[in-house]
Amino acid sequence: MVKLYITLGCILAFLGVALGAFGAHALKSRLAENMFKIFETGVQYHMIHALALVFVGIIAHWLNDSLLLNWSGRLFAIGILLFSGSLYVLSVSGIKALGAITPFGGLAFLAGWILLAIAAFKHL
């Protein structure tokens, strides 16, 4: 789990930086201001939770692959896919129905942080 979450977090952080640069250089002039802000929100949460995955991997090294940490990492990854992914597609496509997916990603982020807190409280 240590290698998986650190590697996945680094790959997702790379993608977050790439998407942020793509948005700033290729999309900013093409998207309406409100859609660009939606895209930026996706990038912001993407980056925060990519780093959270790295953090989960580092903590897992000390806590010997806790099940709570494992689920925390999974939920952060799912959150990036659902929350940020839906915002990316919404911002470039304008399909408002995708906004219905976003809260599920937000819930995954929240659950991931709660599980991380519980794991830390139980084991540290």
Side-chain angles (χ1 to χ4, degrees):
M1 181 172 79
V2 172
K3 282 184 186 180
L4 172 68
Y5 288 128
I6 292 174
T7 303
L8 182 60
C10 290
I11 290 167
L12 287 170
F14 171 87
L15 290 173
V17 171
L19 286 166
F22 175 72
H25 298 289
L27 295 179
K28 189 168 188 174
S29 63
R30 293 189 172 115
L31 294 179
E33 186 177 337
N34 65 325
M35 288 295 149
F36 184 70
K37 286 186 184 219
I38 289 170
F39 188 87
E40 283 183 317
T41 299
V43 171
Q44 180 183 6
Y45 279 80
H46 181 143
M47 286 301 299
I48 290 166
H49 291 89
L51 293 174
L53 277 168
V54 173
F55 188 59
V56 165
I58 291 168
I59 293 173
H61 177 72
W62 291 315
L63 300 186
N64 298 321
D65 293 344
S66 157
L67 183 61
L68 291 169
L69 279 177
N70 196 5
W71 273 104
S72 176
R74 288 178 186 173
L75 288 166
F76 289 150
I78 290 166
I80 291 171
L81 179 67
L82 295 178
F83 185 89
S84 296
S86 66
L87 292 182
Y88 296 146
V89 177
L90 168 65
S91 66
V92 297
S93 72
I95 301 171
K96 302 280 187 199
L98 291 170
I101 297 169
T102 309
F104 293 106
L107 289 172
F109 287 150
L110 292 170
W113 285 111
I114 291 294
L115 292 179
L116 182 56
I118 294 168
F121 185 79
K122 283 180 70 172
H123 296 5
L124 295 178

